[in-house]
């Protein structure tokens, strides 16, 4: 899905959400049941959060725009001005209040534990029954902190999203995860292997209202917060309960007698195809641009140190800058680079980058840092005698590099280029934090809606394999074509030359 830039506009209300957390929000293929189109693509978002967002946008007199990104990308998207508000089932915790402001709550829920229906804790009645249980919750949420209230619990590492937790629960990696009641109802409704443990008074987690409230997040000092609170005040409790009932009844249903792999492909092939297209586009362009960056820096480093003092200083300065660039981008994860470049550029310099353009830039400069060293190794692999021979016949350094060295370097580094291409295909999966809906993000969206994690990720695994295998085969073919037949003799006599010519004629 090519995600274009969201232009700041007085008549648009841009709302950030995962669109993969039913019944609060999910992604669907059409506009049925009042779904709203997701910015930049052909999919639609629906759910309780979307219903609330529609009422708020209507009250503000603005057009609702849904901005889909991962949970980790929501807060940076708000603080950097990419979105006007976060409506994604987010609780107004004290930690979050340090960064963003919150409206009054638009939903209030109880905390529950979701367990395996046939597991050891299926009949639990209180937190005491979970002594020794392996329990987790979503990263950067209040849910994770309440696990400490369970005596003797085996607190597991927090997970990125509910899709990951559901996979862990179904596979037996954890015994339970903390959730809110609507999500718990959804979990046991769409997956017969799950069960929600809803504690009676005094038997569950001790919380205050702010901890279990769900509010709209807005930028610090936002002038819209008073207007939004007035709009929320006009939505009665009866209407809110009705919204949630509708969301639970309309959320994607995972009950089917059809083979699930076939069903997932049939219903979501367009999402997978778009995700694969974005993944290939970013990987291909990133690898090509990164190769040229690496080639340029690699060739620069072969230039003899100038004798002129000014040129010598400039040469060393550029060399130092290139070294810093290589060390930084080889020494930090791409996901961190993506967050810093995409959101940081907006916060620090007011640069509103297009998510796809940002992804291309990030992958290109990341690849360039690696390709620089690969090219350097390729240049060193060329026999020193060839440089000397070129110099002996009067060729300049530039002529030697262009006519003698680069053709050999390109052939020598072709396998490494192919390897970088394959790595980029897989590494694009981290770019969902900047709202790039590549293949992995599409898979998380589908799995979060249908709760069929193994089936969904099996399909995506096959797609990734097909892409990487095809790329590898194509590059191997190119390598063989560049190698030629290999039937030549560098020091052939007339008889040997005649034999080779006859073979060529055949």
């Amino acid at each position: 899905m090519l995600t274009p830039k969201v232009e700041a506009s007085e008549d648009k209300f841009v709302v950030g959400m995962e669109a993969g957390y039913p019944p609060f929000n999910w992604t669907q293929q059409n506009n049925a049941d009042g779904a709203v189109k997701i910015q930049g693509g052909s999919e639609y978002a629906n759910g309780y959060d979307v219903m609330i967002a529609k009422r708020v946008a209507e009250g503000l007199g603005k057009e609702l725009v849904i901005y889909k990104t991962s949970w980790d990308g929501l807060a940076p998207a708000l603080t950097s001005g990419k979105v006007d508000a976060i409506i994604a089932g987010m609780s107004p915790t004290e930690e979050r209040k340090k960064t963003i402001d919150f409206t009054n709550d638009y939903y209030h829920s109880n905390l529950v534990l979701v367990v395996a229906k046939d597991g050891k804790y299926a009949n639990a009645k209180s937190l005491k029954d979970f002594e020794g249980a392996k329990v987790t919750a979503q990263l950067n949420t209040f849910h994770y902190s309440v696990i400490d209230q369970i005596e003797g619990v085996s607190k597991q590492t927090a997970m990125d999203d509910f899709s990951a937790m559901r996979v862990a629960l179904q596979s037996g990696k954890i015994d339970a995860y903390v959730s809110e009641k609507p999500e718990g109802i959804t979990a046991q409704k769409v997956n017969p292997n799950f069960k929600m443990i809803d504690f009676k008074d005094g038997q569950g987690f001790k919380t205050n209202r702010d901890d279990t409230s769900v509010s709209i997040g807005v930028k610090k000092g936002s002038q819209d917060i008073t207007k939004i609170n007035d709009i929320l005040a006009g939505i009665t409790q009866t209407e809110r309960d009705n919204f949630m009932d509708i969301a639970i009844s309309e959320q994607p249903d995972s009950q089917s007698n059809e083979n699930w792999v076939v069903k997932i492909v049939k219903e979501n092939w367009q999402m997978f195809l778009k995700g694969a297209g974005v993944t290939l586009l970013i990987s291909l362009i990133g690898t090509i641009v990164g190769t040229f960056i690496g080639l340029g820096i690699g060739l620069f480093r072969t230039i003899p140190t100038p004798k002129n003092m000014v040129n010598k200083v400039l040469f060393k300065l550029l060399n130092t800058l290139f070294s810093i660039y290589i060390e930084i981008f080889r020494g930090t994860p791409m996901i961190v680079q993506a967050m810093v470049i995409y959101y940081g550029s907006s916060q620090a310099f007011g640069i509103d980058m297009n998510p796809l353009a940002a992804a291309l830039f990030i992958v290109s400069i990341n690849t360039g840092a690696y390709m620089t060293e690969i090219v350097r190794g390729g240049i060193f692999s060329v026999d020193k005698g060839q440089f000397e021979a070129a110099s002996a016949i009067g060729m300049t350094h530039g002529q030697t590099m262009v006519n003698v060295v680069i053709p050999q370097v390109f052939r020598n580094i072709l396998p490494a280029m192919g390897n970088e291409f394959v790595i980029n295909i897989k590494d694009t999966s981290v770019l969902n934090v900047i709202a790039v809906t590549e293949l992995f993000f599409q898979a998380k969206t589908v799995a979060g809606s249908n709760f069929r994690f193994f089936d969904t990720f099996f399909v995506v695994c096959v797609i990734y394999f097909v892409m990487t295998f095809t790329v590898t085969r194509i590059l191997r073919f190119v390598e063989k074509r560049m190698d030629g037949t290999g039937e030549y003799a560098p020091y052939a006599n007339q008889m040997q030359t005649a034999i080779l010519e006859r073979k060529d004629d055949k």
Side-chain angles (χ1 to χ4, degrees), residues 47 72 167 173 182 229 240 259 268 277 320 328 337-338 368 399 421 437 442 455 471 481 489:
D72 289 339
V167 172
K173 300 296 183 182
N229 280 332
R240 299 183 190 200
N259 180 283
N268 303 283
T320 301
I328 289 176
Q337 297 166 16
Q399 290 174 329
F421 192 3
T437 47
Q442 297 286 34
D455 310 83
V471 167
R481 294 288 295 178

Side-chain angles (χ1 to χ4, degrees), residues 5 36-37 116 200 244 372 414 491:
K5 176 179 176 181
V36 177
K37 193 172 184 179
K200 294 182 179 179
M244 183 55 73
T372 296
L414 192 58
Y491 301 104

